[in-house]
Amino acid sequence: MTPVPDGTRRPLAALWHHHRRHRPRVVAAVACSSLNTAADVVPELLLGVAVDVVVRGADSFVATALGVEGRFSQLVVVAVLNALAWVVESASDYAASLLWRNLAQSVEHDLRVAAYARAQDLDVGWHERTPSGQVLSVLTEDVNQLERYLDVGARTILHTFWTVVLVGAVFAASSWQLLLLAFVPVPVIVAGSIAFQRRLEPLYAAVREAAGEVSATLAANIGGLPTIKAFTAEARERARVAAVSEGYRRANAAAIRSSSAFVPLIRMAILAGFTCTLLLGGWFVLEGRLEVGLYSVLVFMTQRLLWPLTDLGQTLDLHQRAMASTRRIFRLLQEQPRSLDGSRALPAPVRGRLELRGVRFGYDSIDGSGPDVLHGLDLVVPAGETHAVVGATGAGKSSLLRLVLRFADPRAGQVLLDGVDVRELTWESLRGAIGYVSQDVYLFHGTVRDNIAYGRPGATDEQVRRAARLAEADGFVSGFPDGYDTVVGERGQTLSGGQRQRIALARAILRDPVLLVLDEATSAVDNETEAAIQRSLATVTAERTALVVAHRLSTIRDADRIWVLARGRVAEAGTHEELVAAGGLYAQLWAVQTGEAAHAARTGASPRLGRP
């Protein structure tokens, strides 16, 4: 994985290091902006030359330096030079605008893709600990903030710098006294800029954090809107959104108070510099120590020198916002996944034998560690067999599947597929061999065909339909007005729960995996859908390995082996008939689900735990 520079302390240096391929474009943009500023100063110099021609005639600079006679001829020369300066200024401005704006767009694109890729590579556990709105805020608002700065702020800073340098050179060549007086405000402005920058830095860091809170809250509430309505919590959630929005407003207000005070300070400094040039320069002209034309240039140049500095307040504001955003972007880029891609492929032919050896696993808590959820778990699923995992809530069923899919790695022990530790396998080799159907089915906004073919984008229409038939989804899909072209909406909201489950099963079947993993695939469906899914599973698991986590025990009665977990350990294992006959934990669960436990409670008789 490519190392990411530390952008939390020196964000601009990190950008320069991280985007090396854009450096030639940066150099070209700087060159064009520099040429543009130089060409922009020339017309004011020529204004002084024109005044010199009118006042001095044959003794003017154009007459003595270029040998042009006649005042009108001299003015024509000045006009031609001015036109050339405007052409150069316009052309360089166009080129600089193209370069800076395209650079801003390219950097924005690269950072957004890189940040998304890093977020995508991070472990499932990291995303469970991090609000999705915070991540969205970085990928959208923060990246856009940096784009605005590169598009506008960088050019403004460069233009101001070269203006100070070029105008300073003109003053230095004219009068060192006027140079000193005109530049008196500059140290005040620079010192003020540094002071304001230091003050604004933490303020805008707080603004970006508050923006992330707003995004996180809005994303969570939009996603949970049905729940909010079901519990008539609209007023409460409106108040919560108002509270985080108020926090964002207050953070901005604190930054605005400081940034707004910057411009009046600069205006007073400009007034002082302009007044000094106006009075002292005029006195020099009256004393014959300074030509009228040069005096005109210096008066205009003073405004040219100082007035752009009024934009420093806005530019500094933009700069601090962008740097705060850049720090957040690089903070995401510096996050490292705990589970890294392996380097091996599954040995051919892939058979699908799954084994867990002495697996110990737990979830990280706030302090970086949490109690074990699985304690030395040993489990073997021979190739081609269907095994089920059952147990009460919190027994460790979902944790086991998380390790099989390598959403996390065990603290101790091994998870092996065909005898190879899954940590050694590439993601493509491991997950390409697995078909996964989760309890909470996620369908993407798009057509039914797109969702079924998600794990195999190149599948033909016939392959998609065959997978749908095996999952008993073809019947209801074909009944839609648009058939397989029906758009299912975000998260498949236009479909029923059972329809979503069968489309998810078809998606897994189309992948043609050697290992099919089902996580509570029938827990939230009706009896008809459950029966349909059971028929599908009986067909698709006939020639492949299957690991099924089930809540409804009726769905796994025919499994080759059932593993009963309790508090992260294997409590029992066997076939359905063996476990019921044993009268243990599984038999108790079976009695509860078949109603025997409730009947015994009413009649006072003992449940018949020994009968299947």
Side-chain angles (χ1 to χ4, degrees):
M1 189 170 291
T2 304
V4 177
D6 184 3
T8 58
R9 298 181 63 184
R10 301 175 62 197
L12 285 179
L15 281 172
W16 178 257
H17 177 81
H18 195 253
H19 295 279
R20 289 183 177 142
R21 72 185 187 90
H22 295 307
R23 289 180 183 178
R25 190 183 297 181
V26 172
V27 173
V30 169
C32 287
S33 291
S34 302
L35 177 61
N36 175 254
T37 304
D40 195 35
V41 171
V42 168
E44 280 149 6
L45 289 172
L46 293 176
L47 176 62
V49 173
V51 172
D52 187 55
V53 168
V54 173
V55 173
R56 299 177 62 195
D59 297 327
S60 69
F61 173 78
V62 175
T64 56
L66 302 180
V68 179
E69 297 180 359
R71 293 185 180 184
F72 184 76
S73 297
Q74 295 175 29
L75 290 176
V76 170
V77 170
V78 173
V80 170
L81 293 174
N82 183 65
L84 289 175
W86 275 79
V87 169
V88 172
E89 191 273 336
S90 299
S92 59
D93 181 66
Y94 174 73
S97 180
L98 282 181
L99 288 166
W100 281 115
R101 298 182 73 173
N102 284 322
L103 174 67
Q105 293 295 323
S106 297
V107 171
E108 177 189 34
H109 167 76
D110 289 354
L111 276 180
R112 179 176 287 122
V113 172
Y116 169 77
R118 179 53 54 90
Q120 186 174 255
D121 290 340
L122 292 173
D123 305 285
V124 172
W126 183 90
H127 286 280
E128 291 171 345
R129 296 189 302 271
T130 306
S132 60
Q134 292 277 10
V135 181
L136 288 173
S137 177
V138 172
L139 297 177
T140 55
E141 294 181 27
D142 287 325
V143 173
N144 291 342
Q145 193 72 52
L146 178 60
E147 183 268 335
R148 285 191 290 270
Y149 172 71
L150 292 176
D151 188 8
V152 178
R155 290 184 66 187
T156 302
I157 291 174
L158 192 63
H159 175 73
T160 302
F161 168 78
W162 280 117
T163 297
V164 171
V165 171
L166 294 172
V167 172
V170 174
F171 269 88
S174 304
S175 169
W176 64 268
Q177 295 99 327
L178 288 176
L179 173 66
L180 292 177
L181 289 175
F183 273 75
V184 162
V186 174
V188 176
I189 294 172
V190 172
S193 299
I194 294 173
F196 272 92
Q197 180 175 349
R198 289 176 178 172
R199 174 166 176 76
L200 288 173
E201 184 174 336
L203 294 177
Y204 278 118
V207 168
R208 297 317 310 152
E209 292 299 325
E213 286 294 325
V214 171
S215 295
T217 302
L218 290 175
N221 281 26
I222 294 300
L225 204 56
T227 303
I228 293 172
K229 289 181 175 296
F231 287 89
T232 59
E234 291 92 340
R236 187 166 68 250
E237 292 302 326
R238 190 183 305 115
R240 192 155 70 94
V241 169
V244 295
S245 182
E246 175 65 14
Y248 178 59
R249 187 195 68 79
R250 289 180 178 176
N252 264 301
I256 290 169
R257 279 194 299 271
S258 294
S259 63
S260 297
F262 189 62
V263 173
L265 172 67
I266 294 177
R267 286 179 179 273
M268 293 303 101
I270 290 172
L271 176 61
F274 186 79
T275 302
C276 289
T277 304
L278 186 68
L279 294 178
L280 184 62
W283 184 63
F284 282 172
V285 171
L286 295 175
E287 291 290 316
R289 298 166 57 184
L290 189 68
E291 297 296 336
V292 175
L294 189 54
Y295 172 64
S296 305
V297 171
L298 295 180
V299 171
F300 277 101
M301 284 289 185
T302 304
Q303 191 159 341
R304 164 68 69 177
L305 167 68
L306 299 176
W307 193 252
L309 297 178
T310 57
D311 292 334
L312 272 184
Q314 182 178 356
T315 304
L316 189 62
D317 185 87
L318 191 61
H319 173 82
Q320 285 303 334
R321 288 178 181 268
M323 294 306 99
S325 292
T326 303
R327 289 184 182 93
R328 281 164 51 88
I329 295 168
F330 276 95
R331 196 177 299 131
L332 173 58
L333 289 174
Q334 287 168 342
E335 291 283 353
Q336 296 295 325
R338 297 182 182 180
S339 300
L340 301 178
D341 197 6
S343 58
R344 294 184 58 183
L346 281 168
V350 180
R351 300 174 59 244
R353 185 180 189 274
L354 179 66
E355 181 178 1
L356 280 73
R357 293 181 186 169
V359 167
R360 187 169 63 85
F361 173 72
Y363 296 93
D364 287 344
S365 58
I366 295 176
D367 62 0
S369 64
D372 284 349
V373 176
L374 300 178
H375 308 270
L377 196 66
D378 292 304
L379 185 149
V380 177
V381 184
E385 292 190 6
T386 296
H387 283 214
V389 179
V390 301
T393 301
K397 305 184 297 295
S398 296
S399 299
L400 185 152
L401 292 190
R402 180 182 290 245
L403 297 177
V404 171
L405 291 160
R406 212 183 161 214
F407 290 161
D409 289 330
R411 292 176 175 173
Q414 291 179 296
V415 179
L416 303 105
L417 186 59
D418 282 356
V420 181
D421 192 318
V422 295
R423 286 172 288 200
E424 299 177 14
L425 296 173
T426 63
W427 299 125
E428 185 63 31
S429 182
L430 171 64
R431 293 173 182 164
I434 299 175
Y436 176 54
V437 181
S438 65
Q439 178 181 2
D440 183 20
V441 172
Y442 191 96
L443 298 183
F444 295 91
H445 180 71
T447 65
V448 172
R449 178 184 289 102
D450 293 338
N451 275 280
I452 294 177
Y454 186 76
R456 192 176 172 185
T460 64
D461 287 348
E462 178 53 36
Q463 289 171 328
V464 169
R465 288 180 176 274
R466 180 178 178 277
R469 285 194 294 270
L470 288 173
E472 300 210 12
D474 181 68
F476 70 81
V477 173
S478 298
F480 292 151
D482 295 323
Y484 283 83
D485 292 323
T486 300
V487 176
V488 301
E490 188 176 3
R491 300 185 69 91
Q493 291 178 349
T494 61
L495 304 178
S496 70
Q499 290 172 333
R500 289 197 297 268
Q501 283 285 5
R502 280 185 271 183
I503 288 177
L505 182 58
R507 180 167 60 189
I509 293 170
L510 182 61
R511 197 170 174 84
D512 193 22
V514 296
L515 173 61
L516 186 63
V517 176
L518 305 175
D519 183 9
E520 303 276 16
T522 62
S523 63
V525 298
D526 55 42
N527 292 333
E528 181 182 352
T529 302
E530 179 185 351
I533 292 177
Q534 282 185 277
R535 291 192 299 269
S536 301
L537 293 178
T539 302
V540 300
T541 60
E543 298 179 354
R544 72 186 81 235
T545 310
L547 181 63
V548 182
V549 167
H551 174 71
R552 292 185 182 180
L553 303 185
S554 58
T555 62
I556 47 93
R557 289 187 60 174
D558 296 327
D560 295 296
R561 192 171 185 84
I562 300 171
W563 301 85
V564 184
L565 298 188
R567 297 182 179 179
R569 293 181 172 86
V570 175
E572 300 171 344
T575 64
H576 171 78
E577 289 76 12
E578 292 170 348
L579 292 173
V580 172
L585 179 59
Y586 181 86
Q588 295 174 19
L589 294 172
W590 177 255
V592 169
Q593 292 195 15
T594 57
E596 289 188 13
H599 173 74
R602 289 194 304 270
T603 63
S606 299
R608 294 170 293 172
L609 300 181
R611 293 187 60 187

